[in-house]
Amino acid sequence: MGAVFSHTPALFGAVHIGALVLVVLANIAAAYRLRRLDEERLLRILHGLGICMLLAEAWKQWFCYVYLFDKEPNLWFFPWQLCSMAMYCSFFIIYLKRKTQTAVLAFLSTYSLLGGVIALVLPYDMLRPQIGLLIHSFAYHGAMITEAMIALMILSKRYKKEKPAFLPATLLFLIMAAIAEVVNVISHVILHDAELEPNMFYITPYYPSTQPVFHDIAVKCGIAAGIAAYILVILLASYGIFMIEKLVIRRKT
């Protein structure tokens, strides 16, 4: 269970590239299998993926506690990152009213998709020597891409009667980010230790961002400027994805 690589896998090394190839192939196969399913079955598959992700998250928390943190309390992997939102959204999707469902589906196909792709391409915190943890990380983020694809399929089926809007998905993202900041503040007040505290959404107000580029902005211009730039880039990139997807759906319908 606690098996490790002889060396920590390198960014764009054999392990990283191999994992990316597997994720791409798995999603191509999933797209082929799912392409003709109706909306109800797609929603149930999305819900099933949410259940699997929640179970995988429970395993990850146990694994980190036992093998990564030597049974010492540590909130670094507290499950409220942007990428964590996919498992909550997909799990609850079948219990939501249609209008709320559409907003969540738009979130999954934009903000969640962006988070999943960036995490897979630049997996700085995922390339760890623990084999089990690395497999979990790539499988989880690969499932996020699948969920985004399913969400887009459902939105395309709803397009004639109910066009997806970006604003509700953005409000959902901002609420999630606000909760993340509350978690960051409360944990800092209690723990006051950068090695034990979570950095949810990478927007803690107490330390410069650990994300490339935004770390430099935080160091030079202040932490608040780094956070503002980070949120703004996520908003703009997600909006770009939304507009591209909207164009694709429009042409398809």
Side-chain angles (χ1 to χ4, degrees):
M1 185 68 73
V4 296
F5 292 105
S6 55
H7 300 286
T8 301
L11 185 67
F12 301 120
V15 172
H16 180 197
I17 297 300
L20 281 180
V21 169
L22 287 175
V23 167
V24 170
L25 292 176
N27 274 287
I28 290 172
Y32 181 78
R33 293 294 299 273
L34 300 171
R35 71 193 190 284
R36 292 198 178 119
L37 297 185
D38 58 37
E39 183 180 321
E40 185 179 348
R41 289 187 69 185
L42 288 172
L43 283 169
R44 295 207 170 274
I45 290 170
L46 202 54
H47 174 64
L49 283 171
I51 293 173
C52 292
M53 292 168 93
L54 284 167
L55 292 173
E57 180 63 30
W59 174 86
K60 185 184 85 173
Q61 294 297 328
W62 168 82
F63 182 92
C64 291
Y65 176 69
V66 173
Y67 292 102
L68 204 62
F69 301 131
D70 296 321
K71 298 185 180 180
E72 293 291 332
N74 193 307
L75 295 180
W76 180 254
F77 286 109
F78 189 84
W80 197 266
Q81 287 288 15
L82 175 57
C83 293
S84 306
M85 301 303 101
M87 66 181 174
Y88 302 126
C89 288
S90 54
F91 175 78
F92 286 108
I93 193 74
I94 63 171
Y95 305 115
L96 303 175
K97 292 183 178 179
R98 188 178 177 89
K99 189 175 180 181
T100 308
Q101 264 188 5
T102 301
V104 171
L105 291 168
F107 173 85
L108 285 172
S109 65
T110 52
Y111 289 96
S112 185
L113 175 62
L114 177 67
V117 169
I118 291 175
L120 287 166
V121 174
L122 299 171
Y124 293 108
D125 202 35
M126 289 162 52
L127 292 172
R128 293 176 174 269
Q130 296 83 9
I131 296 174
L133 189 57
L134 185 141
I135 291 172
H136 167 277
S137 297
F138 278 92
Y140 179 96
H141 290 86
M144 285 177 63
I145 309 300
T146 309
E147 289 183 345
M149 181 173 59
I150 293 173
L152 195 58
M153 288 177 178
I154 297 170
L155 290 173
S156 67
K157 293 178 186 297
R158 295 184 177 186
Y159 186 76
K160 289 183 179 178
K161 295 181 180 179
E162 189 177 355
K163 292 178 173 56
F166 186 66
L167 182 58
T170 299
L171 291 175
L172 184 59
F173 165 74
L174 293 175
I175 290 169
M176 292 169 172
I179 294 172
E181 197 67 303
V182 170
V183 173
N184 291 335
V185 171
I186 291 175
S187 63
H188 178 76
V189 170
I190 295 172
L191 300 172
H192 210 76
D193 186 337
E195 294 185 0
L196 301 179
E197 297 170 29
N199 184 5
M200 300 297 91
F201 278 51
Y202 298 105
I203 56 171
T204 178
Y206 302 106
Y207 312 106
S209 175
T210 57
Q211 299 299 294
V213 180
F214 302 104
H215 176 81
D216 295 333
I217 294 173
V219 170
K220 293 177 181 177
C221 305
I223 293 173
I227 293 172
Y230 182 65
I231 295 294
L232 181 61
V233 167
I234 291 175
L235 291 171
L236 292 175
S238 298
Y239 182 68
I241 293 171
F242 175 79
M243 292 305 294
I244 293 169
E245 291 177 346
K246 190 175 179 182
L247 240 137
V248 171
I249 291 174
R250 188 181 297 167
R251 288 185 178 182
K252 203 174 175 184
T253 55

